[in-house]
Amino acid sequence: MHEMAITESLLRITLAEAAKAGATRVTALHIKMGAYADIVPTILREYFAIAARGTAAEGARVEIGRIPVTMRCRTCGWQGPVDKLHIRCGGCAGTDLQLLTGREFYLESLEAE
Amino acid sequence: MEITVMHQIMEWNEDVSAAVKATLDAHKTCLINVMGSPGAGKTTLLTALIATLRPRYRIGVIEGDIAGQIDAEKIADLGIPVVQLDTDGACHIEAESVRHMLPHFDLENLDILFVENIGNLVCPAEFNIGESFRIAVLSVPEGDDKVQKYPLMFSTCDGLVLNKYDMLPYFDFEDTRVEADALGVNPSVAVFRVSARGGAGVAELAAWVAAKTDAALAAATPAQKAENTPTKEEPPCA
Ligand SMILES: Nc1nc2c(ncn2[C@@H]2O[C@H](COP(=O)(O)OP(=O)(O)OP(=O)(O)O)[C@@H](O)[C@H]2O)c(=O)[nH]1
Ligand SMILES: [Mg+2]
Ligand SMILES: [Zn+2]
């Protein structure tokens, strides 16, 4: 269950950033997650709810925005969305592609008081 | 109020992974992350690879079993330096655990450091551990749908070993489907059909490992070490 280790990191970052901004209560977290991230949102939310008990982030909503896989073709220069199970250029059908988005996993912002 | 954060959640692991890689680069040691299901044949494969590669490379192993010393003892019997990693029931190895293990090795006298990751097709793929490259082991009895079900592991590996190839007659395992699926998620992956126990296909795999290792060691100049940025994110295909 790697979601536990990830939740702990998420809570650490949340509390540090809230303290830095002088906030005493965090009401929501906005996370961005690429389509490649093998992290189960419901598990992340459940773990976070437990880990955050008794902290400034207790009861905070965890919102997760997904980012699609996009790539750039090194052969023809095309760039756009790619099916991660069938990686192929949308222009020339080539497979020499560079990842643009899809591996992200970061805390974008907090709503706090 | 709204607080803009923009903080990588995996940063704790990514930073340590980069530090481990920098230490290994400085000593010209290449870390190879070996992943796969429980029982896929990781230890057997390592044993076979070590036998083929040891005339040319000085090899060490980190064993990441959840409990027990069985695999570590098998490697130690070969006269290869091996350290058992205490993962305390975790589902994956983190870079921090590898960093703790490095002082147990004489890195000056090591060319390859294999890490046998925890038997698991999901979690280890999320964690870089300072590796130069990754090998995923999938064995025939596990079934030919695993790439479709666990794409992350197969999209982040450099080499895919279809192990227990000697079992092919006994299972409905369409190896061409697996290869096509693997190339679908990872167009640059190298696929090998291997029987780690019998030895078939091991020589071809070992030659590939040697070429990847030589390239990694050649790229690991001290100058590059200074430039090493802690934010590297390997794309699924290069
Ligand atoms: N028939 C056959 N059996 C194999 C092959 N490779 C490994 N095995 C057998 O598969 C079983 C598991 O092999 P291990 O090497 O221990 O597998 P592992 O992935 O290291 O297992 P864990 O460390 O427990 O996750 C053993 O009984 C091996 O003898 C192979 O190529 N063919
Ligand atoms: Mg093993
Ligand atoms: Zn193209």
Side-chain angles (χ1 to χ4, degrees), chain A residues 1-3 5-7 9-10 12-13 17-18 21-24 30-32 36-39 71 74 83-88 95-99 103-113, chain B residues 1-12 90-92 94 120-123 125-128 134 147-148 150-153 155-156 180-181 183-188 233-238:
Chain A
M1 280 294 102
H2 57 304
E3 279 85 358
I6 288 166
T7 304
S9 168
L10 180 61
R12 266 197 314 271
I13 297 166
E17 292 288 338
T24 51
H30 295 278
I31 292 171
K32 280 277 193 268
Y36 272 113
D38 248 341
I39 293 148
M71 296 192 184
R74 291 199 182 90
D83 175 357
K84 68 177 179 177
L85 294 181
H86 304 279
I87 294 175
R88 209 159 263 285
T95 54
D96 186 12
L97 299 163
Q98 180 199 352
L99 187 75
R103 286 284 296 167
E104 299 80 1
F105 186 42
Y106 61 91
L107 179 59
E108 186 178 37
S109 64
L110 299 172
E111 288 171 37
E113 291 161 2
Chain B
M1 68 176 122
E2 159 128 12
I3 306 169
T4 304
V5 180
M6 306 301 282
H7 197 119
Q8 298 298 326
I9 296 166
M10 301 293 287
E11 187 177 81
W12 93 92
C91 54
H92 61 274
E94 288 183 22
N120 184 324
L121 278 180
V122 183
C123 313
E126 290 282 356
F127 296 86
N128 289 319
R134 294 179 167 191
V147 176
Q148 293 267 327
Y150 305 98
L152 184 68
M153 168 143 310
S155 71
T156 62
D181 285 353
L183 288 169
V185 301
N186 186 353
S188 61
E233 189 80 309
E234 288 293 323
C237 57

Side-chain angles (χ1 to χ4, degrees), chain B residues 37-44 46 63-65 70-72 74 116-117 119:
Chain B
S37 303
K42 298 179 294 298
T43 307
T44 310
L46 283 185
E63 274 296 339
D65 283 316
I70 303 168
D71 288 353
K74 278 183 201 153
E116 178 178 338
N117 216 310

Side-chain angles (χ1 to χ4, degrees), chain A residues 73-78 89-94 97:
Chain A
C73 178
R74 291 199 182 90
T75 310
C76 74
W78 175 91
C89 170
C92 69
L97 299 163

Side-chain angles (χ1 to χ4, degrees), chain B residues 90-123:
Chain B
C91 54
H92 61 274
I93 294 176
E94 288 183 22
E96 186 63 37
S97 315
V98 174
R99 175 154 74 180
H100 282 303
M101 290 302 128
L102 293 186
H104 293 281
F105 291 95
D106 176 13
L107 295 180
E108 268 318 300
N109 289 305
L110 213 56
D111 304 309
I112 294 177
L113 181 56
F114 283 112
V115 176
E116 178 178 338
N117 216 310
I118 312 287
N120 184 324
L121 278 180
V122 183
C123 313

Side-chain angles (χ1 to χ4, degrees), chain B residues 72-88:
Chain B
E73 280 163 13
K74 278 183 201 153
I75 302 291
D77 285 347
L78 306 172
I80 292 285
V82 55
V83 175
Q84 168 85 39
L85 201 137
D86 185 7
T87 58
D88 208 18

